[in-house]
Amino acid sequence: GNTYLYRPSREDIMAAADDLPTYKDVADAAAVLAGVAHHTPTETSRTLDDQLGVSCFVKCENMQRMGAFKFRGAYTAVNHYLNDTDGKELKGVLTYSSGNHAQAIALASTKTLGIPSTIIMPTDAPTLKLKATQEYGGNVVFYDRYTEKRDEVAQKVKGTLPEGTVFIPPYNHKYVIAGQGTVGKELIEDLQSKSIALDYVFVCVGGGGLISGISLAVKELSPKTQIIGVEPEAGNDAQQSLEQGQIVHIETPKTIADGAQTQHLGNLTFDIMQRNVSKIITVTDEQLVDEMKFFGERMKMIVEPTGCLGLAGLRKLVSSGEIEKGANCGVIISGGNVDLERYCKLISSTI
C-alpha cells in the first residue's frame, strides 16, 4: 500500500489533550480495575516449552470480561470522565472500533456504569463483535472502512450527540493506555512472586495501546525485559514508523487479524513505543492460523487471529535463532472474540 506521513486530525488532538501516561497512571488504573476487571491467569504449556526450547508464560486476556484486554482501558477511561468532568455531567461516550474496543466501551460505559454509548463500527466488523456491542447496550453507527475516514465520521456523529459526550478512542488516550498497561503489571508481578524474571515479552500491535501500556509497567517493574511488538505482515505501519522515527500511515491492511487492521499509531502510543520497545517484527496470516490451532489443540483455548500475534512472533524469533535457549518469554493473548463459524473455517483451511 502507499504510505504517507500522518498528520493528526482534530479528533486525535482532542483525544490526546492529556499528557503522556506514566507508570503511576498504570498503578492508579490497577486500583480502579480491582474487583471490576478479571485478574487473568498466566498459563504455561510443557509442549510449547519443548517445541521452542524456552520457558513460555502466556497471559490470557481472552479470559478477560468481554473476551479481550480492551475492557481494562475502556473502564479506566470512562471511570476517569465520570469522576472528573470539571463539574459537567458525563452524558455519553463516543468511540470507533472494529470490535473489541466497541464491546469494551459498551460494557464499561452502558452496561456497567449506565452511560449511553455510541460506537462507530465498520460495515465488515465481525458479526460476533457487532452483536455483543449491541447486547451490552451500545448504539452502533456504521461506516465503510475502505472508503471513509473514521475520524471524519466521528466528527459528524459527535455533532448530533448531547453536550457532555466524550470521545474515547481505541488507543491514543492517556487513560486507555494506562488501563491496558495493567496487563503487564499483573504478568510481571505474578511471575516475580514466583521469582521468575522475564527476558522478553511479545505483544500484538494494532494502534499501540496495549504494547505502550504494557511497556510502562515492564520498564518500571522489570527494566531488563525486552519488549517485542508483533504485527501482521500486511499491515506493518508500526514497524515502518519505528524505523523512520515518525508515524507512518498505511491503507487498511487485508489480514485475518481484524484487531490489527489499524492504519497508524497514535502520537501518544508512538512516543512511548519509541522509548520502550526493542523492536517490531511481522508474521503472516498462515502463521496466525498455526497458532490458533496450537492454542485450540494443546491449550484448549479459542484465540482470535489478532490474539495469536505474540506467540507467532516468539516462534519466528526462536526459529531464526534470535531468542536464546532457556529464555523466559512472556506472550500476551489479547483476546478470544472470533465467530465460531469463521474460526472453524480458518483452522480447517490452509489460507
Side-chain angles (χ1 to χ4, degrees), residues 286-301:
E286 286 87 341
Q287 288 168 312
L288 295 180
V289 169
D290 288 343
E291 303 308 349
M292 285 171 75
K293 289 179 186 168
F294 179 85
F295 281 130
E297 282 175 357
R298 295 307 179 111
M299 295 184 78
K300 311 304 168 210
M301 292 193 289

Side-chain angles (χ1 to χ4, degrees), residues 62 292 295-296 300-304 333 335-338 340 343:
N62 49 318
M292 285 171 75
F295 281 130
K300 311 304 168 210
M301 292 193 289
I302 293 180
V303 179
E304 62 184 279
I333 294 181
N337 294 329
V338 54
L340 270 188
Y343 178 81

Side-chain angles (χ1 to χ4, degrees), residues 189-202:
E189 289 176 345
D190 287 355
L191 292 175
Q192 282 178 346
S193 72
K194 299 174 181 164
S195 305
I196 296 165
L198 284 182
D199 298 304
Y200 303 93
V201 61
F202 286 79

Side-chain angles (χ1 to χ4, degrees), residues 24 28 36 46 75 100 107 110 113 152 161 184 188 196-197 205 248 251 285-286 320 322 333-334 351:
K24 184 188 180 302
D28 291 347
V36 181
R46 286 185 188 173
Y75 189 90
N100 282 334
L107 175 58
T110 309
L113 297 167
E152 289 164 14
L161 296 173
I188 296 293
I196 296 165
V205 180
V248 170
E251 298 300 320
D285 279 5
E286 286 87 341
S320 68
E322 282 177 66
I333 294 181
S334 55
I351 297 176

Side-chain angles (χ1 to χ4, degrees), residues 131-170:
K131 277 198 191 128
T133 302
Q134 291 168 325
E135 277 165 21
Y136 293 140
N139 167 37
V140 175
V141 177
F142 291 103
Y143 81 106
D144 181 334
R145 70 162 118 201
Y146 299 99
T147 62
E148 294 179 278
K149 287 215 163 46
R150 64 186 188 175
D151 288 344
E152 289 164 14
V153 180
Q155 285 290 6
K156 275 188 211 129
V157 173
K158 194 162 197 288
T160 68
L161 296 173
E163 281 278 313
T165 299
V166 297
F167 177 73
I168 300 179

